[in-house]
């Protein structure tokens, strides 16, 4: 689903009209309508729209995308490690290392 569609669906889920968005984000109905229709908004405009929809903009690393989608979809057991796991843990450890990557 495109970002424009996600914004529209979120607005509709909140029971808001495009006109309702004006006081929530300080953008005219016409500007907002263009955004939902596939316009190319600036990042600060997207931030305002997200806040007006009680949402957050996020950058999700591609290697974590399926894990995030699984959590949002309520699925369990899809990922090998929890989302809050340290991605660097064990990276420098050798097979016989017990010092967690640090020399004594």
């Amino acid at each position: 689903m495109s970002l424009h569609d996600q914004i529209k669906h979120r607005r509709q889920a909140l029971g808001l009209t495009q006109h309702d968005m004006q006081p929530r984000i300080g953008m005219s109905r016409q500007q907002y309508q263009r955004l939902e229709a596939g316009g190319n908004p600036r990042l600060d405009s997207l931030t305002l729209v997200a806040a007006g929809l009680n949402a957050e903009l996020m950058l999700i690393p591609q290697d974590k995308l399926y894990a995030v989608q699984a959590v949002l979809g309520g699925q369990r057991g899809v990922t090998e490690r929890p989302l809050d796991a340290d991605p660097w843990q064990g990276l420098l450890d050798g097979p016989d290392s017990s010092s967690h990557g640090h020399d004594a």
Side-chain angles (χ1 to χ4, degrees):
M1 181 183 309
S2 74
L3 180 60
H4 303 97
D5 290 336
Q6 290 179 50
I7 290 170
K8 180 178 180 177
H9 282 76
R10 176 68 179 164
R11 175 183 57 77
Q12 291 172 336
L14 293 172
L16 300 170
T17 66
Q18 289 180 339
H19 184 72
D20 294 332
M21 294 303 292
Q22 183 173 356
R24 295 176 71 97
I25 62 175
M27 183 184 293
S28 72
R29 184 187 57 79
Q30 291 83 4
Q31 287 175 301
Y32 182 81
Q33 188 175 29
R34 279 193 301 273
L35 184 146
E36 270 192 16
N40 191 11
R42 295 178 5 184
L43 182 57
D44 59 340
S45 297
L46 285 175
T47 303
L48 288 172
V49 169
L53 294 171
N54 299 330
E56 292 289 329
L57 290 178
M58 295 180 67
L59 290 176
I60 301 170
Q62 287 182 343
D63 63 329
K64 303 291 185 194
L65 181 60
Y66 292 118
V68 170
Q69 289 173 334
V71 169
L72 293 175
Q75 299 174 7
R76 299 285 183 238
V78 176
T79 62
E80 292 183 7
R81 57 179 12 177
L83 293 177
D84 61 347
D86 181 0
W88 304 108
Q89 182 178 1
L91 184 65
L92 299 176
D93 293 345
D96 61 346
S97 174
S98 61
S99 64
H100 301 291
H102 301 290
D103 291 332

